[in-house]
Amino acid sequence: MHKDSFFIRGLGGERALHGEIAVGGAKNAALPLMAALPLFENQVALQNVPAIEDVARMSELMKALGADISFEGGRMTLRGDSFGTQFDRTLSKRMRASIILTGPILSASGAVRFPHPGGCVIGKRPIDLFLESFVKMGAEIFEDGEYYVVKARNKRLCAAEIFFRVQSVTATETLMLAAVLAEGKTTLKNAAMEPEIISLADFLIASGAKIKGAGTPVIEITGAGKLNFSGSPWSVIPDRIETGSFLFLGALAGKDLKITNCNPTHLEIVIDELRRSGVAIEIGESSLKVFGAEKGVSRSFKPFDIKTHEYPGFPTDLQAPATVFLTQAAGEAQVFESIFEGRLHYVEDLVRMGAEIEMMDTHRVRIKGPAKLRGRELEGPDIRAGLAYVIAAIIAEGESAISNVYFIDRGYERVEERLRKIGADIIRTTN
Ligand code: EPU
């Protein structure tokens, strides 16, 4: 885990960002695609894979289990003829998404042994839905010290009807993957509908899986034999969270900013809110243009309330960048984080920067804008709040130092280089 920092000289209200910024492949789409490997009988090839820390951690975890992975220039090839069933403790603890791999390993090998996964400190993040669903598919679970040991009877999972009490992205993905090799038809009800789930289903279907309904709350998977990858490398969809973050940045500090390599249809709610707030956005097929006012002239944005929600509602992963935006809108706004209970702590740092934000309870804050932000020393608490700090520091007056850049690197590929190209004054220092 490196200890790099970002130093940012803020624009102090000036609208100076211009040119083009390209969006990378989505972290939360790439990780489940990688995790699908145990279901394949041959080599898998992916492209537009982001070179980010979480992809590196997933590679390490999979290599420790026996996978052969090479990665260069966004292209990844993965191969695994046989897999171990015991997860490396340290690697699993570093990333919540390690849990996705439990489904394919259990399904392909009949057993899996893993510790409670780690990840960002944004809430409790239980795994009850995963464990209960494995049991429904005929598995038995024991706890062995810090590990869960899950075993399928007769080494093969069987199909089941699974109702998720809560819509969960990774539980939907994990069980969809597990069901691909299970005997019979599995139905997932109250499934999550995020674009990353559709992308995973498309990939599996293209390789021979029988899946219906991905992108709706009911997904049916009919188990068959191992999958077969063919054709050109499968493309990871653009990161909608990175796209949305750049949109907020462009709205606040853009003179004339074009966001390329993105999928605007994945961001309807964000585009709608920003437009209603007074931000001019031009939508292309795979690009978005945000227009700012003339240099030096600040525009007044209308505030809007946010309640984070499962897709297609307002993404919790964009809650922090949206809050930074709302500190600059003229009036009062409320942000209600409905998915996670620990995802608003970062506002304390925005307050230290000069934002007027009142914490109402662990799920809600009230913001009064516009407030002048001043540069500060900041420590990124998680991936998404980390990038929100970068946005806040870019629009603030004076200098900011953001430590804990490792967290930002977990989700965004060399973001400082891309931001520098559009006019942000940001450098990385390596300790
Ligand atoms: N939940 C349970 N039991 C479970 C699983 C989840 O109660 O067994 C609850 C959670 O506590 C939460 C809700 O279900 O209240 C929804 O969480 P979900 O399971 O959907 O979150 P996740 O799958 O762990 C993914 C993303 C997150 C993103 C959330 C919500 C990946 C790898 N991670 O997490 O992304 O915030 O969905 O959209 O896809 C990030 O990228 O920074 C990140 C945190």
Side-chain angles (χ1 to χ4, degrees), residues 328-388:
Q328 304 307 303
E332 207 174 284
Q334 266 197 37
V335 173
F336 179 5
E337 170 53 62
S338 77
I339 315 269
F340 296 111
E341 55 289 294
R343 217 175 194 184
L344 285 164
H345 298 310
Y346 70 90
V347 298
E348 288 163 23
D349 277 328
L350 295 184
V351 170
R352 288 200 304 117
M353 292 180 84
E356 255 193 78
I357 307 178
E358 182 196 344
M359 192 102 182
M360 297 160 77
D361 55 51
T362 49
H363 284 279
R364 289 177 309 152
V365 292
R366 188 183 289 132
I367 306 156
K368 269 193 202 140
K372 236 193 176 126
L373 302 186
R374 289 175 303 275
R376 282 278 177 272
E377 284 197 4
L378 304 159
E379 194 169 335
D382 70 73
I383 304 175
R384 310 305 179 183
L387 191 62

Side-chain angles (χ1 to χ4, degrees), residues 23 26 28 196 238-248 266-267 315-319 321 343 383-384 387 412:
V23 171
N28 292 345
E196 293 75 20
D239 196 314
R240 65 196 163 93
I241 306 305
E242 189 169 284
T243 310
S245 305
F246 293 160
L247 256 187
F248 284 117
H266 292 164
L267 282 151
T316 170
D317 290 344
L318 279 175
Q319 178 256 102
R343 217 175 194 184
I383 304 175
R384 310 305 179 183
L387 191 62
Y412 305 98

Side-chain angles (χ1 to χ4, degrees), residues 71 74 90 108 123 237 256 278 300 343 431:
F71 182 34
T90 316
I237 57 171
D256 197 344
S300 180
R343 217 175 194 184
N431 294 317

Side-chain angles (χ1 to χ4, degrees), residues 1-2 26-28 31 50-57 91-98 118-121 125 239 381-384 404-414 428:
M1 204 152 109
H2 67 69
K27 165 176 88 74
N28 292 345
L31 298 174
I52 54 176
E53 287 291 332
D54 272 17
V55 163
R57 293 297 83 79
L91 294 170
S92 313
K93 287 272 177 201
R94 272 165 78 174
M95 189 179 54
R96 165 86 181 175
S98 61
C120 293
V121 198
R125 312 196 83 179
D239 196 314
D382 70 73
I383 304 175
R384 310 305 179 183
N404 245 358
V405 162
Y406 175 80
F407 280 101
I408 299 173
D409 291 339
R410 283 189 54 187
Y412 305 98
E413 182 178 332
R414 290 178 285 108
R428 176 189 290 258

Side-chain angles (χ1 to χ4, degrees), residues 388-411:
Y389 283 0
V390 171
I391 297 173
I394 290 175
I395 64 168
E397 200 170 286
E399 287 175 18
S400 294
I402 302 177
S403 54
N404 245 358
V405 162
Y406 175 80
F407 280 101
I408 299 173
D409 291 339
R410 283 189 54 187

Side-chain angles (χ1 to χ4, degrees), residues 124 147 150 198 223 278 283 286 324 359 406 428:
K124 290 195 210 92
Y147 287 86
V150 188
I198 303 177
I283 305 178
S286 60
V324 174
M359 192 102 182
Y406 175 80
R428 176 189 290 258

Side-chain angles (χ1 to χ4, degrees), residues 5 133 147-148 165 191 298 302 327:
S5 301
S133 306
Y147 287 86
Y148 299 98
R165 280 185 304 285
S298 70
K302 282 198 221 96
T327 65

